[in-house]
Amino acid sequence: MATTDIETDVPFHESFDNRNGALTDNWGADYSVPGQVTLTGNAGMMEPAEAITSGHGYGTYTVTAKFDGTMPGSAIILWPGDNNWPGQEINLAEVANDGSGRQYATLHWNNNGEDAIRVHFHEGVKGGVFHTYQLVWEPGQLTWLVDGQVTAIDREYVPRDYDHGGMNNVIGVLNNSPDTTLTVTDVDYVPLGGTPPVASPPPAAEPVPAPVAEEPIDWYALAAQVQANYEATGEWFL
């Protein structure tokens, strides 16, 4: 098959029922819980990045994952298909380095041999719970969503995919800190024009019981009781 005939827009789904599944380039991953992978310390997994045709192009990428920890270490990434750095990297989510736990998305590109980057924060998105992270990559636009809500749109430096004269990206998840953990349950890719999976809402918070109304204090009755105790014992008490 000629390189120009390689099919690069095939739908993809991985739920880790059989360990790493299609993310065969992996290290340090914990598969002890069926249907999920946990990355702690130095661990990660990725589709093989071997050529500009590797991975996928325009379409919707969906990853269900939970970030634990408030410092950088975990990331959901689309790595350059040719495995060259600096290069065309689009990240669905990372954690800021200021200890706040704020999550953000990034777009990287090669600027004359130097890494260039644009950052977009996922405002209001908290760690410690599962979220559905999505990226819609289309000609001239990148759209990031968390739990179905748009958090950022970028129309500058948007790369072209292989089918349109550029390069594809492979899906990867990684962790590089002993103080952070990334847990992933599902990874999906739907080509542009297909129907992406519906983003699941975050788990409902545990209901907080309503406060019990207190009976109003009858200060006159309390005063009368104190006075009666004093008259009977010579001491002030309730």
Side-chain angles (χ1 to χ4, degrees), residues 173-184:
V173 291
L174 60 87
N175 190 82
N176 59 18
S177 169
D179 300 319
T180 61
T181 297
L182 180 64
T183 306
V184 185

Side-chain angles (χ1 to χ4, degrees), residues 8-221:
T8 65
D9 55 0
V10 176
F12 170 88
H13 173 74
E14 182 57 65
S15 57
F16 307 108
D17 294 317
N18 295 302
R19 294 176 63 83
N20 56 276
L23 279 68
T24 56
D25 184 2
N26 60 91
W27 60 99
D30 178 2
Y31 311 105
S32 60
V33 179
Q36 73 176 43
V37 59
T38 302
L39 308 175
T40 302
N42 182 18
M45 54 197 319
M46 188 167 61
E47 297 175 286
E50 300 169 338
I52 61 174
T53 56
S54 297
H56 319 276
Y58 294 155
T60 299
Y61 297 80
T62 305
V63 178
T64 302
K66 176 168 66 82
F67 286 76
D68 287 301
T70 59
M71 294 298 290
S74 303
I76 303 171
I77 68 175
L78 301 185
W79 185 254
D82 65 358
N83 203 29
N84 285 328
W85 180 257
Q88 174 180 303
E89 177 185 350
I90 311 171
N91 292 355
L92 278 70
E94 305 179 62
V95 178
N97 63 1
D98 60 1
S100 66
R102 295 177 70 196
Q103 298 181 16
Y104 64 94
T106 59
L107 167 62
H108 297 257
W109 66 95
N110 186 335
N111 183 21
N112 297 318
E114 299 291 334
D115 175 44
I117 183 173
R118 289 172 65 87
V119 174
H120 303 281
F121 277 93
H122 298 310
E123 297 295 352
V125 176
K126 304 295 184 182
V129 295
F130 280 96
H131 294 288
T132 301
Y133 299 89
Q134 286 186 308
L135 169 73
V136 181
W137 179 16
E138 54 191 324
Q141 180 167 303
L142 297 168
T143 304
W144 288 271
L145 306 92
V146 180
D147 298 327
Q149 301 299 312
V150 174
T151 59
I153 296 175
D154 203 330
R155 298 186 179 94
E156 295 189 70
Y157 304 103
V158 177
R160 292 178 296 169
D161 70 358
Y162 173 76
D163 288 342
H164 296 83
M167 178 171 61
N168 285 347
N169 286 58
V170 298
I171 303 170
V173 291
L174 60 87
N175 190 82
N176 59 18
S177 169
D179 300 319
T180 61
T181 297
L182 180 64
T183 306
V184 185
T185 60
D186 290 278
V187 176
D188 283 276
Y189 164 72
V190 176
L192 191 63
T195 302
V198 177
S200 302
E206 290 293 327
V208 178
V212 177
E214 296 182 358
E215 292 293 331
I217 299 174
D218 188 339
W219 296 105
Y220 290 105

